[in-house]
Structure formats: C-alpha cells, structure tokens
Amino acid sequence: ESGGGGGAAATAAAPEELGTAAAARIFHLYLPLYFWCLGRARQAPTGRAVGIGISAPQGCGKTTLVDTLVGRFAADGLVCAAASFDDFYLTHEAQRELAAAHPTNRLLELRGNAGSHDVALGTATLRALLDREAEVAVPRYDKAAFGGRGDRAPEEAWHVQRDPVDVLLFEGWMAGFAPAGDAARLAGLDPDLALVDSFLRGYAEWHDKMDAWAVIGIDDLSHVCAWRTQAEQAMAAAGRPGMDDAAVADFVSRYLPAYRAYLPALYTAAQAGGVGGKPTLLARVDGSRRVVPTAELGAPSG
C-alpha cells in the first residue's frame, strides 16, 4: 500500500532520465535524508524499531518522500513502516461531536488541529510498531469522504503491517509542535488557539516515542494553500470528490494560526539542540518544493 517499490525505482534511475525538479529532490533531499535515517536505524537498540518523526507542511511532498524512504530501506534489507498523524484523525461523527462541544471555536470545527486526533489509538499503534509486533493494523483516513471533510476508513481498509519493522517513519504537518503555554501570545495570534494549545499537551505521548526528527521547513505560509489547492485539483481530475478552491482557502485558514504559533519554536529547536533534544535534520524547500540553502530559518511569512 505504501508504494515503496516505486520510490526505490525512482532513486535508481539515472540522472539524465529524470526531470530537473525530480532529480533535485532525489539527490538533494531524498537520498541525504535516507542515509541520515539509515544511520539512526543502525544505532537503534536491539529488539526495538527506531522511530523517526518527519515534520513537514501540508502539500510539500511528504507522501512521496516517505514512499521513497520505505523503498530504499527495503532495498537495503530493512523493514520500514510509515504512519501519519492523518491516520489517527477522529471519525467523522466524533469530529462533529468535538465541534459541537466547542461551537465558537472555528479551529476545531474541522479536522486538522490538535484535539481532532484519537491520541489513544495513535499511541497504541505506535507502541505496537516500535515494539516490533507483527500483524499490526494501521488505520487509514479517507479525506475525500463527506465532500472532503473526511472520515476514518472502515477497518477492512486499514493497512496491516505483517512483519516486525526495523524503522518507523511518523509524519505529520504538526509533528513536533510543542505547547506554547503563552496565553497572551496565543490570544494575539488567534483567540481560539488556547484550547488547541491545551489539547497539544497530549501529543507528547506520540512525540516522546520518536528517537530522531527530520524537519522540512518553509519560509512562506502561502505555499501551504497553493499546495493544498493542487492536491484537491488532482483528486478532482482523478474522479474523486474534494473541495473547490474557496473551500480549500477556508480549510487552510484554520491551520494557519497553529503554523504561526508553533513553527518558530520548531525551527529554533531543529537548529539548536534538536526537536525534543533528539538528533534532528533540517531541510528547507521553496514554493516549487525545491531544496534551498538552510540559512537561519525563523518564523515564516504569510
């Protein structure tokens, strides 16, 4: 289901067979990140998989990146599983209940922000994968359900990780975000952020399980809306229901306060002692998803 074989094939292609943009991503991002992750895997304690958190904005290419890494690990004889924060979104009905419980909070009306995930389900799944259990069912989320509002897929559609894993890649747009705890600053960014910040404390259960982090940074939040629009248009072209451009703009607007609140601290940590004090690799991409020099990365504009 992960499509890892396709990623492996892509990295095996000769440079002249690739487009310029694809070649740049492979040789400037995918392969350096792979060898960095491989180094972490070789240092993992016996009997436990190594967990690597991947934090990257929506639409920047996380799925392709993860598929490529899974394929490369397989080529080197290591079993790599991938999970996403998205896999653990609340069901559609539970999300409606969350919104109804906080009717004036627009950040919790739709999925996305802290509070809209089943943290207990995620914790149990991560624990099973990292403990190298076999036959682990990993939830899947159908983003196209209910006109793009989404719903958890039925259990028969979940991915079953048959073999014990050596490496777990855990990706998400808010992966690595740490509670700010600064009520005045949060209120200045968005009055609805305080509740999101309180929910974010629970995600330490996920973050603490990671052994290392990779952070893909941006310096302009306008990229997120552009990328999300492209993704929805691709879904529509494939015949799958999704959101129109206006709905995408509204949807992304509910994420922007969290980006503004938490990305600066994430980038600071990545450039200093590491996210959560753990080994961290930082890469920066532009609006075309091209890797650019990682001069000091601060709060993104937009």
Side-chain angles (χ1 to χ4, degrees), residues 118-139:
D118 187 332
V119 175
L121 176 62
T123 299
T125 305
L126 295 176
R127 181 184 299 116
L129 291 168
L130 290 169
D131 286 347
R132 307 195 76 241
E133 295 180 13
E135 304 293 326
V136 178
V138 181

